[in-house]
Amino acid sequence: MLRKSQVPWLVTALGLALVLPAGVSDASAQPRTAAPTVPGQTVTVPGWKLQTSKTATQGGATLSAPSYDDSAWTTVPARSTVLGGLISAGKYGDLNYSTNLKNVTKSDFSAPWWYRQTFSATPAAGKHTFLRLDNGIIGGSEIWLNGAKIGTTDTGAYPAHEFDVTGVLKSGANALAIKASPADPKKQLSISWVDWTQLPPDNNMGIWRDVQLAESGAVTVRNTRVVTSVAGDLKSADLTIKAEITNNTNASVTTTVAGTVDSTPFSQQVTLTANQTKTVSIAQHLANPRVWWPYEMGDQPLYHLALNASVDGQVSDSAATDFGVRDVKSSIKDGGMAFTVNGKPFLVRGGGWSSDLFLRYDSRKLGDQLDYVKDLGLNTVRLEGKEENDEFYELADKLGIMVMPGWECCSYWQSYSSWKDADHTVAKASAVTEGLRLRNHPSVLGFYIGSDTAPPAAVEKDYLDGLKVSDWQAPIISSAATASSPVTGASGNKMDGPYWWIPPNYWYGSQLGGAFGFASEVGPGPTIPDADALRKYLSPQELSDLWQNGSKAQYHLSPSGDFSKLGSFLTALGKRYGAPKSLDDFTVKAQLTNYEVNRAQFEAFGRNQSKSGKPATGVIYWMLNNPWPTLFWHLYDYSMQPSGSYFGAKTGLRPLHVQYSYDDRSVALVNTGLSAQSGLSVQTTIFNADGTVKSDTTQSAVTAKANGSTTLDKVATPSGLSATYFVRLLLKDSSGAVVDRNVYWLSTKADTLNYDNSTWYDTPQSGYADLTGLQNLGTGKVDVAASTTTSGDRSTTSVKLTNSGGKVAFFLRATIRKGASGDELAPITWSDDYVTIWPGESVTLKADYRTADLGGATPNVQVAGVNVAARTVPAGPR
């Protein structure tokens, strides 16, 4: 983990200028910030004034003069693309609603925009001040300080930059002005959204990460990193502490490089000739190291490295980083990429991450989203092209969530034959920057140097040479598709779809995206939020079209024709569950659809991890989240309201889980822990739609193998089953307590697939399950009791649901409301939701959330089911 004071130095050997991390807010009085005054200190520019060059027509010499009046410019946060900054300043209405995003004038971003900030400084003799850009300025830039042009940046999004501004810095008032050029992801190694969402009209031009000022003495420290080698028995580890030490003077200098790993000290003397840079390398040994694990497998201890360089007994510069001790390896297993972490098999079950469409940084939402990842039971997040800020990786380290970053698909990043020499330079610099950013994070599982394609030899060399600068240790993967590159070799990945609707039994098949090998991006496409969220984003006409017109393009689907219409999803929903009669009926049936197919995806890969022949080695659900409100490719929607997609996945990802197999009707136990669980039993009950018990059996003395799956008896097929029926699985411990509960709604008529007509994104259905019996369950009755406890800034609401009627209470959804008639509360984590209970049964659900999000209202619980009318009860203090 690279801290604010560790920004990469000018890497003259590669001809690159690099930099890295931080974040703050805004200021407007002149001067608005201050330069650092302590060696090793870094100050982040806290915010900007922003103006188009169509209005600010003067040149950089004028605009960077401290006396220039920018009072009419727009104040924006530190990390602000042009459009992102203007949105933050309130220049537009709600761009999430309906087609409002279309109304943003694209031509406003065809000319450069200026960023400006003033600051005070007190430069001292013998001190050096550096201007650092955490990453590239998207679209490229000119950088001016106090009337002087101090440099330019390339058009790449990722290469970081550092400039020695000591000679330009003034005592007293200073002004920095940056001219950001228009961005074009079709011609630049920039950031593109491809078919994920409607596109940002400014193409994300501008400053999207931190700009910093750093001070040092004669010697600077850059790129502090730790190379780790862990013994196979995990009882010892060898560390190599490395950093680049630069002499900023024209005379020879001797520096003492010293520091600590936690409390263990070390030091080394280094002599540097004039303006020389050396890499220091210091060996350390750890006995009985604190080993870092993914959260499913163990704890997440981190070590702290502090480092400084002193000259004549005075600290010249300092740096610090946290790092983890762990071992990650990959191999090809029966054609599929397979990982081990600290020598233990690691089945990747993850989701594809998306940054905000306008690249805005929101620390609270970031934390909430990674909390959702862990609550879901996912263990990995894949980043395709939109590499995140340092805070993302720091949180992943602390939470024990593995991360798989890499370059994006389907844009100039894959137009290898069109690259010019400058593009190869940007590609290498991008690998250097991101390698140095990521390499100390134990959460990094591997890096994709290709997405839908593998890079050719010259491009692969750019990436490998760039990552080598950081002493990269994690696996490097040639492609997310079935491809290979000359040095890195075969990817062991498959990218055969689906990206659109398929029924649950698809995942148990032996073709395309079925549960075998490593599926780098697969999912069932449309994922409809609940009605509350839909009404936030869609106009009344769009809401009407959503459930009545599958052939009409939806703006909140994709700009790509392949994913712009609900089409086969709406057809399947109608044939399987019955044609929707209203928006509310549609959204309920959509939740049923999303729940069952998402659960099946993760359950199939979980079961097949222990399969002989072609085991499942990993799966990335496409996708985890959205950059902007959309109706497809997410496990939770943009408003953070968890619905059927979320809870289906959460059920399938439980750490000790009993599940039904759609292919052979077997029951399986999946255990993500490193210890076997014995003394278990599984009760399997089959119900007709009217509640009649058709079969009830128990398999006893069951053991769930460690870190794998165990196949048990098959579910019976009794005669006289109704066309739609239920299977309830109860996993119990040795005392008879239920430790996992799973309910399936099934059909005597199977879904069938037409593989012969599959496309790269879809396999059409040729026959549909009959689940229409769920429309005729009779009226259910449920008693609801709720209470709330509060501790600190968190509240927990407990909800007991009891079936007090004579019919099954099917697919019960509980939500917390802000008052008796208020909005649904989000973000929120539930122990379970969308539950089904039979007469006499009770289940208790628990919800955790921020107390402040209630806005002072009393929490109320609303409960509704497919055949249970909605009711709301207060959930006051216990």
Side-chain angles (χ1 to χ4, degrees), residues 773-854:
L774 298 173
Q775 299 182 109
N776 303 299
L777 296 175
T779 302
K781 182 181 178 183
V782 173
D783 295 335
V784 182
S787 62
T788 300
T789 59
T790 299
S791 177
D793 61 352
R794 307 294 300 184
S795 289
T796 299
T797 295
S798 180
V799 183
K800 184 177 182 180
L801 305 177
T802 302
N803 188 333
S804 56
K807 301 291 184 180
V808 61
F810 178 55
F811 211 56
L812 298 169
R813 172 82 192 280
T815 56
I816 305 296
R817 301 281 165 169
K818 303 175 186 179
S821 58
D823 291 339
E824 181 180 338
L825 192 69
I828 189 169
T829 57
W830 285 90
S831 59
D832 198 4
D833 215 344
Y834 291 106
V835 295
T836 298
I837 53 177
W838 276 266
E841 268 195 313
S842 295
V843 296
T844 298
L845 314 177
K846 290 187 177 181
D848 178 77
Y849 50 91
R850 282 189 205 88
T851 307
D853 288 349
L854 289 167

Side-chain angles (χ1 to χ4, degrees), residues 647-671:
F647 287 103
K650 180 180 169 77
T651 297
L653 288 162
R654 289 175 186 151
L656 182 60
H657 181 51
V658 61
Q659 60 190 57
Y660 167 83
S661 303
Y662 279 85
D663 56 347
D664 62 6
R665 297 182 66 85
S666 65
V667 173
L669 287 181
V670 175
N671 178 12

Side-chain angles (χ1 to χ4, degrees), residues 189-520:
L189 296 178
S190 181
I191 286 179
S192 170
W193 300 91
V194 197
D195 52 8
W196 296 14
T197 177
Q198 301 297 333
L199 307 181
D202 70 336
N203 287 325
N204 296 128
M205 69 180 291
I207 300 172
W208 66 298
R209 285 184 174 156
D210 292 328
V211 176
Q212 303 164 330
L213 289 162
E215 182 166 291
S216 76
V219 173
T220 52
V221 180
R222 297 291 186 263
N223 309 335
T224 306
R225 56 201 186 274
V226 182
V227 180
T228 59
S229 177
V230 187
D233 60 5
L234 308 182
K235 292 183 179 180
S236 67
D238 290 315
L239 310 180
T240 305
I241 298 160
K242 303 183 80 170
E244 272 67 60
I245 311 297
T246 299
N247 178 5
N248 299 305
T249 74
N250 294 321
S252 177
V253 66
T254 297
T255 180
T256 300
V257 179
T260 56
V261 172
D262 284 356
S263 59
T264 304
F266 58 84
S267 67
Q268 183 179 110
Q269 277 203 332
V270 181
T271 299
L272 301 167
T273 59
N275 302 303
Q276 184 183 18
T277 295
K278 283 186 178 181
T279 298
V280 297
S281 181
I282 302 170
Q284 294 281 281
H285 179 77
L286 295 176
N288 299 312
R290 305 191 305 273
V291 176
W292 188 98
W293 293 90
Y295 76 88
E296 294 173 317
M297 305 169 96
D299 297 328
Q300 294 77 50
L302 294 173
Y303 285 86
H304 183 69
L305 167 65
L307 190 69
N308 63 61
S310 298
V311 178
D312 296 329
Q314 298 295 315
V315 173
S316 176
D317 201 7
S318 60
T321 186
D322 289 340
F323 66 95
V325 173
R326 61 94 177 94
D327 176 74
V328 170
K329 290 184 172 63
S330 68
S331 61
I332 305 297
K333 180 179 180 181
D334 294 309
M337 179 174 66
F339 288 94
T340 61
V341 178
N342 300 325
K344 301 294 184 181
F346 180 74
L347 175 69
V348 170
R349 295 198 289 179
W353 174 265
S354 176
S355 305
D356 176 79
L357 180 62
F358 309 109
L359 301 183
R360 295 168 295 184
Y361 172 64
D362 183 334
S363 61
R364 192 171 98 157
K365 187 169 185 179
L366 173 62
D368 289 338
Q369 291 192 85
L370 290 187
D371 284 344
Y372 268 8
V373 169
K374 197 166 178 179
D375 179 66
L376 276 160
L378 296 171
N379 58 27
T380 305
V381 173
R382 179 184 166 212
L383 283 66
E384 191 205 285
K386 271 63 76 178
E387 314 308 338
E388 268 291 351
N389 297 308
D390 294 87
E391 295 89 344
F392 177 94
Y393 305 106
E394 291 168 1
L395 274 173
D397 290 344
K398 293 174 183 176
L399 293 172
I401 298 167
M402 303 305 289
V403 183
M404 299 183 72
W407 308 129
E408 70 181 39
C409 85
C410 314
S411 64
Y412 195 65
W413 285 90
Q414 288 188 179
S415 299
Y416 306 120
S417 62
S418 300
W419 285 17
K420 303 174 180 63
D421 288 346
D423 298 315
H424 286 274
T425 300
V426 169
K428 183 186 292 185
S430 299
V432 173
T433 297
E434 292 309 295
L436 288 166
R437 178 187 303 282
L438 295 169
R439 70 100 45 241
N440 284 337
H441 290 285
S443 57
V444 175
L445 186 62
F447 195 95
Y448 282 103
I449 57 172
S451 181
D452 291 26
T453 60
V459 177
E460 182 188 36
K461 186 176 188 303
D462 292 334
Y463 293 146
L464 296 182
D465 287 350
L467 289 172
K468 185 177 180 180
V469 171
S470 67
D471 294 288
W472 186 265
Q473 287 186 281
I476 298 172
I477 310 155
S478 58
S479 175
T482 304
S484 63
S485 55
V487 176
T488 309
S491 70
N493 282 233
K494 65 175 184 176
M495 192 187 285
D496 298 324
Y499 296 88
W500 211 241
W501 161 256
I502 39 81
N505 62 346
Y506 173 95
W507 303 112
Y508 289 86
S510 59
Q511 301 182 60
L512 300 175
F516 59 92
F518 192 100
S520 63

